[in-house]
Amino acid sequence: MAVHRARALSDIRGLGRLTADALAGLATLVETLHHTIARGSAPLGAPVKGPMDGISGLVYRSIRGAVHGVASGVDALLGEIAPLLEQETSSARRDALRAALGGVLGDHLEITANPLAIPMRLRRGGVALDLTRAALAHAIPDPRGRVLLLVHGLCFTDLQWKRNGHDHGAALAREAAATSRPLTEIYLFYNSGRHVSDNGRDLAAMLEVLSRAWPVPIVELALLCHSMGGLVARSACAHGAAAGHRWLDALRDLVFLGTPHEGAPLERGGNWVNVILDASPYTSAFASLAKIRSAGITDLRHGSVLAADDVARDRFATARKAARARTAVPLPEGVAGYAVAASVARSAADLKGRLLGDGLVPLASALGHHAGPEGSALFAPGHQSIAYGVSHLGLLSSKKVYRQIRGWLLSD
């Protein structure tokens, strides 16, 4: 009971801060529009920047100050109470709600130190793993030298790998137990609203700690990734290589399910909303609403993996500029890379499937046709597969997709 009260208080604190930020942001939006109208700006051109002067400016400043003042007082009170009750435990429903919110606003939650922000964790059964040798040996009684890490996508949690009663990771572990190469499955839970490059850097560092703390030597490491999780994994490989991490020596396989290696059209379409709204000073104030979406979402526009990409520095740049800026990142040498693309069409002859792919990621993007260096293919022809009649989320529970993954990872 104490645990539930502590988590409720933490969530109330987080929602209170988020509400205060939203109200203050709304006040700024109204002030910008008010300022533009008061100046009699032309229909096209730049909006009026900066706060208003005089009584109007004082009113808007007072509104923002009052909102944050009340929120800070409530937050401080709840902050004193919550630690008295807090314990480390997991709730699938709470995690799912935090993950959905984090996917949309996760970067803001982290920057503002909001309690709803999700810290990156390696987990098993929804329970965070303490990355020390003794703690891992206690949590995993029979650790294997072959480790499978599953990396979820945008707005998801590690527990949502289980869909329609099936979990690729658990199923692979069961079947591998009867072979000469048994494995232990673990899962990543992370804030998918952060930049892909930030999550990739932190994952690389976490895998380095894991490789040193694992109770037995890790002789083989495989990563199974869904959607955005594949970009995070590729980013982790790039960060790990730059840092000289030793976990990469054990990495053998990378499997990507519906990963937008070349980006997602829906995010590119969303970015044009910004361009249109910014065209007039009378609508530019509302462009800020379209820019609420997280850094993680905007990274999906062109499959950005590295912080050096201009998309990471100016994430609302026009599509053409962002496409030129994206850095092509090859797969690590000596690592087998595999890609499964899904198509809502029933066969290759259906034009709808070629245009829509799995409903979110086009076939060419999921298969990385031009995502390698100098526009080369990211995967060898025999390391690609298309699952027809399967949606983006269906990749998590499709039997045909599982058979393909099993063939790649469990074959001798």
Side-chain angles (χ1 to χ4, degrees), residues 28-49 273-289:
T28 299
L29 184 152
V30 173
E31 182 180 17
T32 300
L33 187 58
H34 184 175
H35 206 177
T36 299
I37 294 172
R39 290 288 185 89
S41 302
L44 296 177
V48 177
K49 300 292 186 180
V273 173
N274 301 335
V275 177
I276 294 170
L277 290 176
D278 270 333
S280 169
Y282 291 93
T283 57
S284 63
F286 297 98
S288 61
L289 297 178

Side-chain angles (χ1 to χ4, degrees), residues 12 42 59 61-62 64 69 83 87 111 136-137 141 158 178 200 206 234 246 268 276 300 330 335 369 380-381 399 401:
I12 291 170
V59 169
R61 288 194 300 274
S62 298
R64 285 190 290 268
Q87 294 183 30
I111 291 170
L136 287 169
D158 52 314
M206 190 168 284
R234 288 176 57 202
R246 75 178 192 181
R268 288 199 286 273
I276 294 170
L300 293 177
V335 177
H369 281 174
K399 293 181 179 179
V401 171

Side-chain angles (χ1 to χ4, degrees), residues 200-201 204-205 208 234-248:
R201 180 197 62 237
E208 185 68 359
R234 288 176 57 202
S235 180
C237 290
H239 281 286
H245 288 170
R246 75 178 192 181
W247 65 267
L248 283 169

Side-chain angles (χ1 to χ4, degrees), residues 238-265:
H239 281 286
H245 288 170
R246 75 178 192 181
W247 65 267
L248 283 169
D249 296 337
L251 184 62
R252 296 290 180 271
D253 303 286
L254 288 167
V255 181
F256 304 93
L257 309 179
T259 293
H261 297 288
E262 298 174 36

Side-chain angles (χ1 to χ4, degrees), residues 65 173 197:
S197 59

Side-chain angles (χ1 to χ4, degrees), residues 157-183:
T157 78
D158 52 314
L159 295 175
Q160 288 172 304
W161 275 96
K162 186 172 185 178
R163 188 171 186 269
N164 297 333
H166 173 81
D167 178 333
H168 289 324
L172 288 167
R174 284 195 301 270
E175 292 205 45
T179 72
S180 60
R181 298 165 63 212
L183 62 83

Side-chain angles (χ1 to χ4, degrees), residues 303-328:
S304 299
V305 171
L306 299 179
D309 292 350
D310 280 350
V311 154
R313 292 197 296 268
D314 180 9
R315 60 194 188 91
F316 298 108
T318 60
R320 183 175 298 177
K321 177 182 177 183
R324 288 197 303 267
R326 182 175 62 86
T327 304

